[in-house]
Amino acid sequence: MSTRPHLLPALATAFAHDGTLDLASCRRLFAHVADLDVEAHFVAGTTGEFVALSDDERIAVLEAAVEEIGTAHVFAHVGAASTHQAVTLAHRARDVGATRFAAVTPYYTDVPGDALLDYYVRLRDVLDGDDELFAYVFPARTGVDVDPERLADVVVAAGLDGVKVSVPGTRYVADLVASLPDDVPVYSGNDALLPEVLDAGGAGVVSGVMQVGPAPFLRQAQALRAGDRAAALAARADVDPLVAAVGPSLRATKQRLVDAGLFRTAVVRVPAARHPRPAPVAPAVAQV
């Protein structure tokens, strides 16, 4: 694994104007980012609209990512609402070459501590001993709010390899890191807070924005690796506007990918997404 801080772009999934999966565009994006100096790419996650994909589509996207990016640099997201579905997805993803996995907590229902542990234990059991498995916590989207100490107990008991956290700020990261063994990395979804995430003990960030403008993120990470905090903070002049313009809008992210020639769609101003989101207004598109 690379020297911290780690960067993990969270990649979007391409759809045609009629909502069908555009696997050719997905492959173009995967090939485009394959040579970035990052720890790995997070595929079929929240930014990848996994809840809007059928299981067959998820596996097709993951297989394409493994083929274009390489097994070592793909985190295959296999989380689901049910343990049965997550385990099935993990088994199928492994069959198409994935060796690094992440799974969001079950969602849309209450998940008692024993059930959460069982979920991750059963996922761990279906994978090979050398495969990596990360828990993924996103309370705002899943409705499952697990405190850091309880999550740390689950991670240790299930033999997980790390955690991805999508929680505002860095307090949760700090509390989770304090409760985990030193060799268990914690990634944050706050891609504008890389220096603060490291200060909290985190290993790096998972960024949905990085795929449309990787240069300032890479520059910031390189500065932090070199111990040049001033240069890392100076990179915010480019990181922050990009996160502010693109981060809140998946459609804005996809518009940027269309403009780069990576995604194609018949609706150029409003790239297709399956989630029911409003079209970006003209000023927002211009800002991007």
Side-chain angles (χ1 to χ4, degrees):
M1 298 176 73
S2 64
T3 305
R4 297 180 182 185
H6 298 169
L7 296 174
L8 295 90
L11 303 180
T13 300
F15 301 109
H17 71 281
D18 61 356
T20 56
L21 178 64
D22 182 357
L23 198 56
S25 288
C26 290
R27 284 186 177 277
R28 275 196 298 275
L29 173 61
F30 298 157
H32 179 74
V33 301
D35 293 330
L36 289 179
D37 181 21
V38 297
E39 171 65 15
H41 299 270
F42 205 84
V43 181
T46 302
T47 302
E49 299 180 81
F50 77 95
V51 294
L53 297 172
S54 70
D55 286 3
D56 287 346
E57 288 173 329
R58 286 177 73 172
I59 296 303
V61 169
L62 293 173
E63 182 175 23
V66 167
E67 291 175 354
E68 299 293 342
I69 299 173
T71 298
H73 296 291
V74 171
F75 264 100
H77 177 248
V78 295
S82 74
T83 303
H84 172 77
Q85 184 183 9
V87 167
T88 300
L89 284 165
H91 182 77
R92 294 181 64 187
R94 194 171 187 282
D95 284 346
V96 298
T99 60
R100 308 180 78 178
F101 300 84
V104 75
T105 61
Y107 45 88
Y108 197 72
T109 186
D110 181 49
V111 184
D114 290 347
L116 188 63
L117 176 58
D118 178 71
Y119 175 78
Y120 285 114
V121 166
R122 289 179 62 186
L123 278 168
R124 178 72 269 175
D125 286 347
V126 80
L127 302 177
D128 186 80
D130 294 330
D131 295 336
E132 290 182 59
L133 176 59
F134 277 54
Y136 175 15
V137 179
F138 198 167
R141 297 289 179 89
T142 63
V144 176
D145 193 357
V146 52
D147 65 66
E149 293 78 14
R150 175 186 163 204
L151 179 60
D153 288 343
V154 169
V155 169
V156 172
L160 304 186
D161 300 284
V163 184
K164 190 257 180 168
V165 174
S166 289
V167 177
T170 59
R171 181 71 262 168
Y172 191 102
V173 170
D175 290 345
L176 180 58
V177 169
S179 301
L180 285 169
D182 292 340
D183 61 347
V184 178
V186 176
Y187 298 135
S188 170
N190 293 306
D191 44 7
L193 299 179
L194 180 58
E196 289 79 6
V197 169
L198 296 183
D199 291 344
V205 297
V206 178
S207 172
V209 175
M210 187 180 172
Q211 63 192 311
V212 303
F217 293 93
L218 292 168
R219 189 165 68 249
Q220 188 176 57
Q222 290 165 356
L224 288 167
R225 288 174 189 146
D228 191 346
R229 190 175 179 86
L233 295 177
R236 281 213 161 110
D238 296 317
V239 170
D240 289 353
L242 190 59
V243 171
V246 179
S249 172
L250 182 57
R251 289 183 182 273
T253 298
K254 289 192 169 185
Q255 180 65 63
R256 189 68 174 260
L257 295 174
V258 169
D259 294 342
L262 297 170
F263 281 8
R264 65 185 177 207
T265 176
V267 187
V268 177
R269 287 180 59 80
V270 187
R274 284 185 176 175
H275 284 112
R277 298 170 183 253
V281 295
V285 175
Q287 184 182 15
V288 174

